[in-house]
Amino acid sequence: MSKVLKSPGKYVQGQNVLGTFDQYLQGMGKRLLIIVDAFVDTFVHPVLDGCFYGKDYTLLYEKFEGECCQTRIDQLASLAKAQACTAVVGIGGGKTLDTAKGAAYYAGLPMIIVPTIASSDAPCSSCSVIYHENGTFDRYLFLDSSPDIVLADTAIISKAPSRLLVAGMGDAMATWFEARACRASGKNNQVNARPTRAATGLARLCWENLKRDGLNAKMAVDAGICNEAVEVIVETNTYLSTIGFESGGLASAHGIQKGFTHIPALHRQLHGFNVAFCTLAQLVLEDASEDISEVLSFSHSVGLPICFEDLGYGEIDQDLVRKAARQACVPTSTVHNMPFAVTGDMVYQALISADAYGRAYRARAGA
């Protein structure tokens, strides 16, 4: 079995780089379909208009709201082809970016991604997470390649609420523990190949960066500044985590998170918050007591959830949690990338145990 590492063709990060967007578009053509999150359009639109003023480009804007679902992807792919676009640009959060990637894929066009938050590892990946229109998980759409360009403007990203940056830390935190499990089990990564050591190394670097700079980055964003800690965490959340999960592999944390889509109360919770708690559940499955202690300490320090109550689900429905645990173990789930067999009952017990550990930690910390 071969080893494969996938990554974007070009990753650009820095303050105010969106204002020089045109400098990175060689080979992308001159007619761009820009799928932009409706929430960020008001401040992104003027920057792009200024960047492209007087230049030989046509920009077609399409605002995005709602779920990343097949129906919306098909509509946008058809629009791109009907308008003879030469590339698709996605600007916004995870669901907007996943939709743009899907539209570019089905239209057969280059893919340019501009995250305006660092709340997940979606921007650099070669897959889109597709949901049903009611918000439940549908499937992964595996693309032929990663985005051609990913441009992360830290001046924009650092102005978003720190809660979003922290959610990205939750997503990135899972990266090392899942990649470690895949290497131990000998299972394939997300591109159906064995993990390279480079990918596993980048996954480990995610956790090291988070422990060193995560709290400092949160405090900087809370203070309204973009310092080196913020730059490190944006790169960790956006780039390193992607290479780590996609080429290093996923395991129980994300598998359990997909089960969470069957708990309506958690539908609107940030992806990274759900993943952070599911990382605790994975570590309970592994009986990794030292790691559990480290994750509880880090998560509590930056404001990641460590129990169901932190997810806004204090009055849990045991039957729904059992259903989510069973759904986490469907045959295609990444929970089966663990180095041991995992059942729905094991996942249920791990979730209840993780919740108990988190509540006990909060009680000791006086929070």
Side-chain angles (χ1 to χ4, degrees):
M1 173 66 73
S2 62
K3 299 177 182 178
V4 175
L5 184 148
K6 292 181 77 173
S7 66
K10 185 181 296 181
Y11 179 77
V12 181
Q13 179 179 311
Q15 294 193 54
N16 302 309
V17 292
L18 186 61
T20 58
F21 190 28
D22 60 307
Q23 296 180 16
Y24 308 104
L25 297 178
Q26 299 87 349
M28 299 292 108
K30 300 286 187 175
R31 193 171 176 85
L32 310 178
L33 174 62
I34 299 178
I35 302 169
V36 58
D37 192 310
F39 180 74
V40 304
D41 179 64
T42 53
F43 62 84
V44 165
H45 210 128
V47 175
L48 290 177
D49 286 348
C51 173
F52 289 99
Y53 180 76
K55 298 171 185 174
D56 185 25
Y57 280 87
T58 299
L59 309 182
L60 298 124
Y61 290 94
E62 186 73 17
K63 293 182 183 180
F64 176 84
E65 293 179 296
E67 292 293 341
C68 175
C69 60
Q70 191 63 50
T71 300
R72 189 69 170 123
I73 288 172
D74 291 341
Q75 290 171 346
L76 291 166
S78 296
L79 177 64
K81 289 187 282 189
Q83 294 293 326
C85 294
T86 59
V88 175
V89 181
I91 305 178
K95 293 191 177 185
T96 302
L97 303 185
D98 276 355
T99 301
K101 286 189 286 184
Y105 172 75
Y106 284 111
L109 294 174
M111 183 190 313
I112 305 165
I113 296 299
V114 182
T116 55
I117 55 177
S119 65
S120 77
D121 50 24
C124 294
S125 75
S126 65
C127 75
S128 289
V129 183
I130 311 298
Y131 294 85
H132 298 292
E133 293 184 34
N134 66 1
T136 60
F137 175 67
D138 180 1
R139 71 190 193 284
Y140 290 110
L141 172 63
F142 294 101
L143 312 176
D144 294 332
S145 62
S146 302
D148 296 273
I149 302 170
V150 175
L151 184 143
D153 190 327
T154 49
I156 293 174
I157 292 170
S158 63
K159 287 183 174 65
S162 65
R163 182 172 182 266
L164 298 175
L165 187 72
V166 170
M169 295 186 211
D171 205 15
M173 182 174 67
T175 308
W176 162 236
F177 300 111
E178 294 188 283
R180 179 181 72 180
C182 284
R183 181 161 289 279
S185 65
K187 297 294 179 65
N188 285 352
N189 57 24
Q190 293 304 102
V191 295
N192 200 31
R194 291 289 187 261
T196 63
R197 292 193 177 275
T200 307
L202 292 179
R204 182 192 291 270
L205 184 59
C206 282
W207 185 219
E208 293 173 355
N209 285 352
L210 290 172
K211 289 187 290 184
R212 186 188 65 239
D213 291 312
L215 180 57
N216 289 335
K218 177 189 182 298
M219 291 190 296
V221 169
D222 283 338
I225 61 174
C226 180
N227 61 12
E228 185 58 24
V230 175
E231 294 283 351
V232 169
I233 295 305
V234 169
E235 181 180 343
T236 298
N237 291 2
T238 307
Y239 181 76
L240 297 179
S241 181
T242 300
I243 309 305
F245 99 76
E246 191 165 55
S247 296
L250 293 178
S252 283
H254 274 81
I256 297 171
Q257 185 273 327
K258 293 301 177 290
F260 272 18
T261 66
H262 292 269
I263 300 177
L266 300 179
H267 278 189
R268 297 302 172 188
Q269 187 55 265
L270 290 169
H271 171 81
F273 280 12
N274 284 338
V275 170
F277 181 63
C278 293
T279 300
L280 271 177
Q282 173 177 321
L283 295 175
V284 172
L285 284 171
E286 295 175 295
D287 194 24
S289 57
E290 185 175 335
D291 293 323
I292 290 171
S293 296
E294 274 201 321
V295 166
L296 284 169
S297 175
F298 170 76
S299 296
H300 187 262
S301 73
V302 297
L304 284 169
I306 56 176
C307 61
F308 276 121
E309 186 176 0
D310 290 345
L311 292 170
Y313 193 47
E315 298 295 326
I316 67 172
D317 182 323
Q318 299 283 344
D319 290 336
L320 272 181
V321 175
R322 286 187 185 277
K323 178 181 179 181
R326 289 194 301 270
Q327 290 296 323
C329 296
V330 296
T332 56
S333 174
T334 58
V335 301
H336 304 301
N337 287 344
M338 299 296 289
F340 49 82
V342 178
T343 66
D345 187 58
M346 290 169 63
V347 170
Y348 169 76
Q349 292 185 45
L351 285 169
I352 299 303
S353 296
D355 179 61
Y357 293 161
R359 286 187 286 105
Y361 187 94
R362 284 180 58 192
R364 290 195 303 271

